[in-house]
Amino acid sequence: MKKIEIDTAGARSKILVGESWEKAGTFLPGTGVIIISDDNVFRLYGDKFPPFPVFCIKPGESSKKLEVIELLAERLLGAAIDRSGFILAIGGGVVCDVAGFLASVYMRGVRCAYVSTTLLSQVDASTGGKNGVNLGNAKNIIGTFLQPEFVVCDPSMLMTLPDEEYFSGLAELIKTAVIGDEKLFRLIEDHYGEVLSRDRELLELLISMAIEYKASVVSEDERETGLRRVLNFGHTFGHAIEMYKSAKHGFAVASGMELAVSYSFNRGYIDASEKERIIALLKRFDLLRFHDIPDDQLYQYIVHDKKKTGSEIYFVFTSGIGRAFAEKVPVSEIFDFYRQNRKDR
Ligand code: GLY
């Protein structure tokens, strides 16, 4: 088991990688706890949940909306949860986002923690304190920062994930490797078979490495005023592809990364061999998807992107495996690049 800490101005978050999720109950207060989960996770693991009331949401991105927050807040109030309450999320990115957002606004804030059940949420979504909901087609437009007190990342929970969900998470793992850790990239390349077979020990190592990198970034720049922007690598086009194609987040980000790598190459930031190495790894795990967003729709997605300021957008480039930086680029240039590179196959 590895304990990784994220230290920010007002909080310390402990990420426990390799801890048994069934021990989560021992870290909780004795009373006032509410568990938020989804129907799928509850069906698989509900009989072993800690003994507190459970509110389940519908699995999937459609639950990331304000109506769901309102309904859950009503249920918390109905259960007489007051400011001393504690919300434990047991689920993937959507459950943790919804529960974290609720915890940050309910009675102006209650304590929270997560048991993170998907690869995507273990390597990215559940750590770092970002949470939020969508507004129509605009992703994560309403949200807050709240560091969970602890996050349990138990790789044994990944064995029950559907393939699509597992590979979606793998894309975020590769993203972390590309932007911050060349060694992690090499480990994924060298252990292709064990990654496919979900080798538990290897997963624990890869997840720890990804979280260690993310923890270092978030500890330096919790509110994304600089360095943290690099975590959005692949996400400018990725979010647009996710919304337009209703693709799973990781696959959309993988295609967004392919575009971002090519864009980095076009600008002379990365050489051809490194570009090919990154794209080859994405292809090897079959992560790339077709995308053919029409101009008018792309415009809508980009103008609502949180990374946009005025007529420019912070676009994340890589300058080689393990290195990334954000640079302001005119929105018009982003459109032109997409028009020349859309995958209309
Ligand atoms: N998922 C990007 C971030 O946490 O900043």
Side-chain angles (χ1 to χ4, degrees):
M1 203 273 287
K2 181 142 200 166
K3 184 162 96 182
I4 301 163
E5 291 190 346
I6 298 184
D7 276 311
T8 55
R12 168 168 293 179
S13 188
K14 282 185 279 217
I15 321 294
L16 310 170
V17 185
E19 180 62 280
S20 163
W21 78 272
E22 290 176 47
K23 281 217 190 127
T26 62
F27 309 134
L28 298 171
T31 56
V33 179
I34 288 288
I35 297 174
I36 295 184
S37 189
D38 73 26
D39 300 329
N40 289 342
V41 173
F42 187 75
R43 201 177 52 249
L44 287 166
Y45 299 106
D47 57 337
K48 295 196 181 119
F49 276 13
F52 295 107
V54 181
F55 300 154
C56 279
I57 60 174
K58 247 178 59 195
E61 191 73 16
S62 64
S63 284
K64 275 185 54 157
K65 57 184 175 197
L66 282 172
E67 292 98 298
V68 171
I69 301 295
E70 189 176 352
L71 276 171
L72 288 170
E74 279 166 7
R75 297 193 69 181
L76 256 58
L77 208 53
I81 297 298
D82 61 22
R83 279 188 171 161
S84 65
F86 193 110
I87 295 178
L88 177 70
I90 305 182
V94 171
V95 169
C96 294
D97 258 24
V98 164
F101 183 73
L102 178 66
S104 68
V105 294
Y106 182 74
M107 296 201 178
R108 297 205 177 86
V110 293
R111 301 164 66 194
C112 76
Y114 308 148
V115 170
S116 188
T117 61
T118 64
L119 183 57
L120 186 89
S121 68
Q122 292 190 2
V123 298
D124 188 48
S126 69
T127 59
K130 271 188 186 175
N131 52 62
V133 294
N134 304 331
L135 194 61
N137 268 342
K139 281 234 3 139
N140 300 327
I141 284 300
I142 300 177
T144 57
F145 287 95
L146 176 71
Q147 297 299 336
E149 289 186 15
F150 66 85
V151 183
V152 174
C153 298
D154 181 348
S156 62
M157 297 187 100
L158 308 181
M159 307 305 150
T160 54
L161 282 184
D163 277 351
E164 224 203 357
E165 188 61 57
Y166 178 72
F167 285 103
S168 174
L170 190 58
E172 283 282 0
L173 189 68
I174 293 174
K175 177 207 79 177
T176 307
V178 172
I179 60 174
D181 192 341
E182 208 267 334
K183 196 167 156 229
L184 175 59
F185 191 91
R186 225 172 328 113
L187 272 174
I188 301 170
E189 277 182 330
D190 292 348
H191 295 273
Y192 175 74
E194 291 101 309
V195 172
L196 281 188
S197 65
R198 308 187 194 186
D199 180 272
R200 196 199 169 287
E201 252 176 61
L202 179 72
L203 282 175
E204 187 170 329
L205 174 67
L206 302 179
I207 294 162
S208 315
M209 288 171 80
I211 295 175
E212 263 166 3
Y213 172 72
K214 183 161 181 182
S216 70
V217 170
V218 173
S219 296
E220 192 176 320
D221 177 27
E222 182 192 26
R223 300 285 161 141
E224 200 172 303
T225 53
L227 177 65
R228 187 168 181 163
R229 291 192 185 109
V230 298
L231 299 177
N232 296 318
F233 182 65
H235 283 61
T236 299
F237 292 122
H239 276 165
I241 294 167
E242 180 176 359
M243 286 311 201
Y244 180 66
K245 303 290 283 185
S246 297
K248 273 214 167 294
H249 181 72
F251 293 99
V253 167
S255 296
M257 283 196 276
E258 182 186 26
L259 288 162
V261 170
S262 300
Y263 204 166
S264 305
F265 175 72
N266 286 6
R267 283 185 158 222
Y269 298 147
I270 185 171
D271 65 34
S273 65
E274 293 230 304
K275 172 187 144 187
E276 292 312 324
R277 199 172 148 207
I278 297 169
I279 294 175
L281 191 63
L282 297 171
K283 281 192 177 146
R284 203 166 169 206
F285 287 108
D286 194 21
L287 297 175
L288 299 177
R289 294 289 174 271
F290 303 141
H291 50 86
D292 48 2
I293 310 170
D295 290 355
D296 55 333
Q297 304 240 21
L298 182 70
Y299 180 79
Q300 286 305 319
Y301 295 127
I302 301 280
V303 292
H304 292 140
D305 192 304
K306 296 191 301 306
K307 299 177 288 301
K308 185 175 117 356
T309 50
S311 61
E312 295 183 308
I313 194 159
Y314 279 104
F315 193 88
V316 186
F317 296 97
T318 172
S319 52
I321 297 169
R323 295 191 302 278
F325 62 96
E327 193 166 84
K328 272 189 178 176
V329 176
V331 168
S332 56
E333 192 186 312
I334 305 261
F335 287 134
D336 290 344
F337 176 81
Y338 187 77
R339 276 193 207 105
Q340 287 152 23
N341 291 275
R342 64 160 59 94
K343 290 277 155 82
D344 193 2
R345 289 174 262 165

